[in-house]
């Protein structure tokens, strides 16, 4: 079905490109060519026909759709695609997709976690070392020409003794664990369900995990259940020296309460890649040396984008050849 | 020999405290108490007697000396201590001690590497992640309120797959290797001699290592042989995207040539904890986003200082009980 000579578009398997008009398929030419040589990419926004009639006309043939960025998929939208079987998402977080509606229809959803996991984990670990060892703050100290003036820079804290609690032990959480073990940290986790094949201690809820940890690393999906799961109770349980690293979604944390704790000196520190309302970062954080602020770029390496391109092509080909899919998002 | 009741000082084994007047052991520390309860600590600067006569009078009984900070120990100084057998140093770097003079006298030297290695390695890895993923630069970007203004932050680069060349595979270099393996990096090294028990590829000189690496991590001692070992040749061999992390001594690198390469865009970046002329950091580096600057604090955690205190006590006790010493610095 997929070979190098361009086939008549009508003969290639159909993939709907679902995007808000402002998002486009990345201009990476080889990825675009790869897709177009193997699939008939239907993009309503590239057609002069009105969106609704374009969609209605093609709907009987659309078994697969690819979402670009955070273009939302609601239950109502799904109803317009009665033969849809697969959604190939291009991000790790899927809070813009009505997953329960997909699963009740038997629609399979794949995401980018497998492509992104290592880079996000690298970033999470980098943020943690930075917070504990004050690397960015020390860099500011030097650039502010303070080193010759003030004798010594305040001490940081050792990583190796820290008890790290991972919230969400999926692909990203597992890569974080693997790295932190090499630093001598001990790992525990919470997850929707205990994972049988994993030997780290499991806690059924995040408050108990926090009470037994020095650091929390948030690697889980944002859902109704996990919204604001990190609140003042959890922060108090984590303790006055506790550190939170968030590479998930901003709203996993009650940001207002996080601010109060950090500004009030009731927490050890935080490394944040995500915020409740991006790109608005609470300005109270700018004056704190025990906080490291990252502009939602934990996935941003050329290597992860290329890995994602490959992952998408692999899944589309697999679907149309009835082969197993990868990076499937499940309900466990 | 060592018990809780204070013994007559004359009965305890003698240890000379060798320090420049400006360096001190904190007077309120439990470390000071531990030492004084087990050893007769002779400190010329705490005696009203003139330094020379104090030293000459006690010299026949001095078998061990403890250096505080980088207080220099020259061959000339050693000649005044004819019975000296052991020097317990309190830093990892020993370029302030005439090691060849010690070894030719059969004097054993121990350093702080075993106590410091993990924290220094954590810092080296933190600096590397920071340079590759631009964590400190991104933090500045956010704090400067640029995130809402400029759309996206420039991409970083993946750690996994990077070929890391470790210069000096001692305690610190080994801990760096252990950590970076967990990120998916490949490791090679150069050292004075190939290490038989190690399976990483060995290069006999640093230029060949650089030619086969993407990153160099400098973890070796500063000696006549290693002075300015990282020069323009090596930087060119490392390549235009090459990254250097230095947690050793500033003068391992020809700093003038490093600054030229970095400012000229001929290198990928650098993470520096040490400089040729501390605390003076070349100001040309302050404007570069691919450089992370640390004020010689890779060891600075309370945990590593406590580990060092313990290491010193362990070695002093071991020496006087004829037991094996740890963290011995050898000529290999």
């Amino acid at each position: 079905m997929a070979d190098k000579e361009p086939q008549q578009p009508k003969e290639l398997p159909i993939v709907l490109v679902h995007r808000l008009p402002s998002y486009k398929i990345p201009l990476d030419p080889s990825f675009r060519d790869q897709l177009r040589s193997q699939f008939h990419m239907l993009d309503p926004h590239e057609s002069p026909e009105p969106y609704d009639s374009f969609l209605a006309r093609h709907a009987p043939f659309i078994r697969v759709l690819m979402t670009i960025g955070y273009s939302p998929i609601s239950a109502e939208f799904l109803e317009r695609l009665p033969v849809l079987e697969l959604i190939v998402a291009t991000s790790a977080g899927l809070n813009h997709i009505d997953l329960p509606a997909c699963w009740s229809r038997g629609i399979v959803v794949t995401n980018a976690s497998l492509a992104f996991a290592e880079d996000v984990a690298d970033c999470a670990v980098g943020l943690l070392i930075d917070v504990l060892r004050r690397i960015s703050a020390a860099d500011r100290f030097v650039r502010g020409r303070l080193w010759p003036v003030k004798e010594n820079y305040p001490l940081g804290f050792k990583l190796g003794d820290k008890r790290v609690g991972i919230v969400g032990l999926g692909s990203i959480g597992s890569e974080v664990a693997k790295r932190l073990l090499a630093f001598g940290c001990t790992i525990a986790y919470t997850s929707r369900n205990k994972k049988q094949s994993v030997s780290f201690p499991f806690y059924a809820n995040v408050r108990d995990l926090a009470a037994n940890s020095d650091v929390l690393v948030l690697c889980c999906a944002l859902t109704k259940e996990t919204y604001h799961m990190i609140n003042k109770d959890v922060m108090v349980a984590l303790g006055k020296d506790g550190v939170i690293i968030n590479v998930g979604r901003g709203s996993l944390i009650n940001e207002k309460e996080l601010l109060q704790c950090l500004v009030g000196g009731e927490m050890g520190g935080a490394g944040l890649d995500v915020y409740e309302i991006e790109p608005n970062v609470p300005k109270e954080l700018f004056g704190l040396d025990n906080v490291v602020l990252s502009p939602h770029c934990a996935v941003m390496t050329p290597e992860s984008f290329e890995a994602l391109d490959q992952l998408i092509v692999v899944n589309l080909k697999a679907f149309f050849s009835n082969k197993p899919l990868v990076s499937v998002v499940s309900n466990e």
Side-chain angles (χ1 to χ4, degrees), chain A residues 267-311:
Chain A
M267 268 183 68
L272 308 172
D273 186 53
V274 285
Y275 311 85
E276 290 220 69
I277 302 180
E278 295 168 13
N280 298 321
V281 177
K283 293 171 181 36
E284 298 91 319
L285 297 178
F286 292 171
L288 299 178
D289 268 357
N290 59 344
V291 175
V292 183
L293 304 167
S294 175
H296 200 161
C297 57
V299 307
M300 303 278 187
T301 66
E303 293 91 345
S304 75
F305 292 151
E306 203 181 305
L308 175 58
D309 292 349
Q310 291 318 305
L311 176 60

Side-chain angles (χ1 to χ4, degrees), chain A residues 1-22:
Chain A
M1 181 177 292
D3 59 34
K4 289 238 167 258
E5 282 84 26
Q7 302 183 11
Q8 285 297 325
K10 289 198 210 33
E11 297 165 12
L12 296 173
I14 288 169
V15 177
L16 176 71
V17 176
H18 177 65
R19 63 179 177 92
L20 295 172
S22 49

Side-chain angles (χ1 to χ4, degrees), chain A residues 239-252:
Chain A
K240 279 186 85 63
D241 295 324
V243 172
I244 294 179
I245 304 298
N246 191 2
V247 290
R249 283 286 178 272
S251 296
L252 290 171

Side-chain angles (χ1 to χ4, degrees), chain A residues 136-151:
Chain A
S136 288
D139 179 272
R140 279 196 294 280
F141 178 78
V142 174
R143 282 171 204 254
R145 294 157 162 77
L146 290 172
W147 192 12
V149 176
K150 299 194 183 183
E151 274 232 6

Side-chain angles (χ1 to χ4, degrees), chain A residues 106-306:
Chain A
I107 296 169
V108 175
V109 183
T110 64
N111 72 352
S113 283
L114 212 65
F116 287 171
E118 292 177 342
D119 285 298
V120 176
D122 291 349
C123 184
V125 174
L127 287 171
L128 179 59
I129 302 177
D130 195 324
V131 173
L132 286 177
R133 299 300 302 276
R134 308 171 70 99
I135 294 182
S136 288
D139 179 272
R140 279 196 294 280
F141 178 78
V142 174
R143 282 171 204 254
R145 294 157 162 77
L146 290 172
W147 192 12
V149 176
K150 299 194 183 183
E151 274 232 6
N152 276 319
Y153 195 70
L155 298 184
F157 293 95
K158 189 184 180 86
L159 258 93
D161 313 329
K162 297 284 176 279
R163 300 167 299 166
V164 175
I166 299 184
V167 182
L169 201 67
S171 6
I172 295 172
S174 305
E175 292 290 338
V176 171
K178 182 166 93 176
R179 284 150 177 70
L180 290 179
L181 283 172
F183 288 80
C185 299
T186 54
I187 307 287
Y189 72 107
T190 186
S191 208
R192 275 167 296 191
N193 303 103
K194 188 181 199 306
K195 294 184 188 284
Q196 294 313 323
S197 56
V198 159
S199 60
F200 304 133
F202 169 79
Y203 291 89
N205 65 74
V206 73
R207 203 194 156 289
D208 289 346
L209 179 67
N212 291 278
S213 300
D214 307 300
V215 175
L216 289 182
V217 184
L218 311 185
C219 306
C220 62
L222 177 64
T223 65
K224 282 209 237 359
E225 291 77 27
T226 62
Y227 175 81
H228 279 197
M229 78 190 304
I230 308 299
N231 54 28
K232 192 166 167 77
D233 271 352
V234 172
M235 294 179 226
V236 166
L238 191 59
K240 279 186 85 63
D241 295 324
V243 172
I244 294 179
I245 304 298
N246 191 2
V247 290
R249 283 286 178 272
S251 296
L252 290 171
I253 304 180
N254 181 323
E255 202 165 83
K256 196 159 151 228
E257 291 179 354
L258 176 72
L259 273 182
Q260 283 170 356
C261 283
L262 284 168
V263 170
E266 294 157 49
M267 268 183 68
L272 308 172
D273 186 53
V274 285
Y275 311 85
E276 290 220 69
I277 302 180
E278 295 168 13
N280 298 321
V281 177
K283 293 171 181 36
E284 298 91 319
L285 297 178
F286 292 171
L288 299 178
D289 268 357
N290 59 344
V291 175
V292 183
L293 304 167
S294 175
H296 200 161
C297 57
V299 307
M300 303 278 187
T301 66
E303 293 91 345
S304 75
F305 292 151
E306 203 181 305

Side-chain angles (χ1 to χ4, degrees), chain A residues 34-81:
Chain A
Q34 254 195 308
L35 287 178
R36 293 190 162 188
S37 66
Q38 302 182 62
F39 309 104
H40 182 190
M41 306 303 291
L42 279 183
D43 189 340
H45 296 297
E46 284 185 1
S47 161
E49 188 177 349
Y51 181 92
D52 290 333
S53 87
F54 182 98
L55 198 67
R57 189 160 62 78
H58 288 99
F61 312 103
I62 294 170
R63 297 169 61 211
V64 182
L65 78 79
M66 181 172 100
T67 61
I68 306 297
Y70 304 129
S71 307
I73 294 185
S74 62
E76 181 271 336
F77 176 77
L78 290 174
E79 279 168 25
R80 303 159 81 177
L81 299 170

